[in-house]
Amino acid sequence: MLIVMGAHATAADVERVCKKIEELGFKPHAMPGASRTAIGLTGNPGPVEAGYFENMPGVVELIQVTHPYKLVSRELKPDNTEFTVGDVLIGGTEIVVIAGPCAVESEEQTLRIAEKVRAFGAHIYRGGAFKPRTSPYSFHGLGLSGLKILAKAREYTGMPIVTEAIDHESLQMVEEYADIIQIGARNMQNFSLLRSAGKARKPVLLKRGMSATLDDFLLAAEYIMAEGNYQVILCERGIRTFADHTRNTLDLSIVPAVKRISHLPIFVDPSHGTGKRHKVAPMSRAAIAVGADGLIIEVHDQPENALSDGPQALLPETFGQLMDEIQMLAPVVKRTVTRKDGVRHN
Ligand code: PEP
Ligand code: MN
């Protein structure tokens, strides 16, 4: 159930409704919006009696939710979700670009590439310290020492850091060191990990599972939000199909589909989505055209020596050209790209 509070409702009215929900043994989720606050109610095994709330001060409408997700839905929150990570606003009119190598390989490599992507205008830096790999014999990341290197890259460039947590143990470490916790495609339906990410106090970048439907994807985000973490970024990264000209099939149609029913920001990862360097820029441009709120792009200055995903990494200069292109494209869809040029040496 959603409880919609009128524009005139006071903070005390909202508080009273939240208390009532708790007394009934359920969990309240107050979502302030531009024109009204809606309060989502979760933890109820079946429909909740409207009589508990309909006459409470400030309540104007009770909505029984028809789909399986509640908190991710625009019914609860008509306005887009926006939040800041460091000095970067996510979900606003500015398009946000995350860039960096697939994996943290060494301090030297990480700082070198960070400086380059920052100079070409990236907003947030990426790099995996815990790598989920198909083969047990591949490079699995530097772990905690990789996180420490990423923290140095943040200090060096001023860019916030996003990096993946692959299990409960790494989640605790990632929460401590990074600015955004990434949950990868392979873990999109690891429900206990989603619940833990929901208890974390950092925003979560949730990648779409390789065979996840729109409902599966939104329900995964719902797990995180149901635990009280409302700062979720969805990320389309390609799905498995029969097509073999790309690593995955980048399903850009999910962007408008998400926008229609959810207030959450959605980013696109054309690197994992295509797996091929020459397809990354065209699909990035397409992602902007279709309404993505941001991009996450793998960049490496020595892709032939990269320990993972070299074939899909853009060279820094190509990344710079792509930034030029999306800067020109963005106004067509009433967006902007403000480049963070120049390295800040703290
Ligand atoms: C990644 O971004 O490094 C990654 C492993 O992505 P995905 O989970 O989408 O495969
Ligand atoms: Mn990768």
Side-chain angles (χ1 to χ4, degrees):
M1 178 188 278
L2 304 181
I3 301 160
V4 181
M5 307 298 288
H8 59 279
T10 64
D13 294 339
V14 173
E15 182 65 41
R16 208 173 298 114
V17 172
C18 290
K19 270 231 163 68
K20 181 76 199 166
I21 294 172
E22 278 167 359
E23 274 166 33
L24 293 168
F26 310 134
K27 194 170 160 77
H29 304 265
M31 299 271 172
S35 56
R36 58 153 169 87
T37 291
I39 305 169
L41 183 160
T42 59
N44 49 314
V48 178
E49 187 51 58
Y52 287 123
F53 305 104
E54 62 194 357
N55 293 320
M56 292 185 75
V59 174
V60 289
E61 199 185 351
L62 300 172
I63 302 173
Q64 292 293 349
V65 182
T66 47
H67 13 257
Y69 35 82
K70 307 178 183 186
L71 304 177
V72 302
S73 162
R74 279 206 192 269
E75 275 181 327
L76 175 69
K77 189 171 178 291
D79 330 300
N80 291 336
T81 282
E82 293 182 7
F83 53 88
T84 53
V85 178
D87 62 353
V88 182
L89 177 68
I90 311 271
T93 53
E94 291 271 337
I95 285 162
V96 172
V97 180
I98 303 173
C102 180
V104 174
E105 299 168 7
S106 69
E107 180 171 326
E108 205 275 320
Q109 167 256 12
T110 303
L111 297 185
R112 195 179 68 226
I113 300 174
E115 183 165 5
K116 290 182 177 169
V117 299
R118 175 77 193 217
F120 284 116
H123 305 103
I124 297 176
Y125 194 50
R126 65 148 291 146
F130 298 93
K131 297 301 303 173
R133 302 302 300 278
T134 303
S135 164
Y137 308 119
S138 303
F139 174 63
H140 281 79
L142 299 180
L144 180 59
S145 54
L147 294 178
K148 291 182 178 166
I149 293 171
L150 286 168
K152 273 196 188 156
R154 172 180 48 219
E155 218 178 286
Y156 181 56
T157 64
M159 285 187 289
I161 299 296
V162 57
T163 193
E164 181 169 351
I166 54 170
D167 51 24
H168 292 274
E169 206 187 339
S170 55
L171 180 70
Q172 285 189 356
M173 293 186 258
V174 168
E175 185 185 0
E176 187 183 335
Y177 283 92
D179 302 286
I180 304 176
I181 302 163
Q182 180 171 324
I183 301 291
R186 290 155 194 81
N187 271 315
M188 193 209 77
Q189 285 190 314
N190 181 340
F191 300 119
S192 87
L193 190 62
L194 295 176
R195 283 194 199 281
S196 298
K199 293 190 182 92
R201 301 274 66 89
K202 294 269 170 80
V204 177
L205 176 87
L206 176 66
K207 293 203 145 185
R208 181 183 179 186
M210 294 175 202
S211 59
T213 63
L214 175 61
D215 270 11
D216 295 338
F217 193 17
L218 292 176
L219 284 167
E222 186 81 20
Y223 265 91
I224 298 169
M225 294 185 74
E227 296 298 329
N229 188 347
Y230 307 131
Q231 301 192 327
V232 178
I233 306 166
L234 301 169
C235 181
E236 162 61 28
R237 50 77 71 205
I239 51 172
R240 280 279 163 88
T241 69
F242 53 83
D244 57 5
H245 62 288
T246 59
R247 177 176 175 183
N248 292 293
T249 296
L250 189 64
D251 177 20
L252 291 179
S253 72
I254 204 159
V255 175
V258 162
K259 290 278 170 206
R260 196 177 157 86
I261 49 182
S262 177
H263 52 85
L264 292 174
I266 176 155
F267 281 34
V268 169
D269 173 349
S271 306
H272 295 89
T274 66
K276 310 248 162 91
R277 182 172 308 127
H278 66 275
K279 292 190 174 71
V280 171
M283 295 312 280
S284 300
R285 298 192 297 262
I288 299 308
V290 85
D293 297 296
L295 296 169
I296 174 164
I297 296 175
E298 288 188 347
V299 178
H300 203 296
D301 57 355
Q302 295 167 17
E304 62 289 358
N305 298 326
L307 294 181
S308 63
D309 286 348
Q312 68 193 33
L314 289 188
L315 289 165
E317 297 69 28
T318 321
F319 170 70
Q321 283 162 16
L322 174 60
M323 290 298 284
D324 290 343
E325 290 167 2
I326 62 169
Q327 211 167 3
M328 288 188 275
L329 256 174
V332 177
V333 286
K334 301 191 173 56
R335 309 295 287 260
T336 46
V337 178
T338 304
R339 294 169 68 164
K340 301 264 176 187
D341 292 300
V343 175
R344 197 168 76 210
H345 295 274
N346 292 319

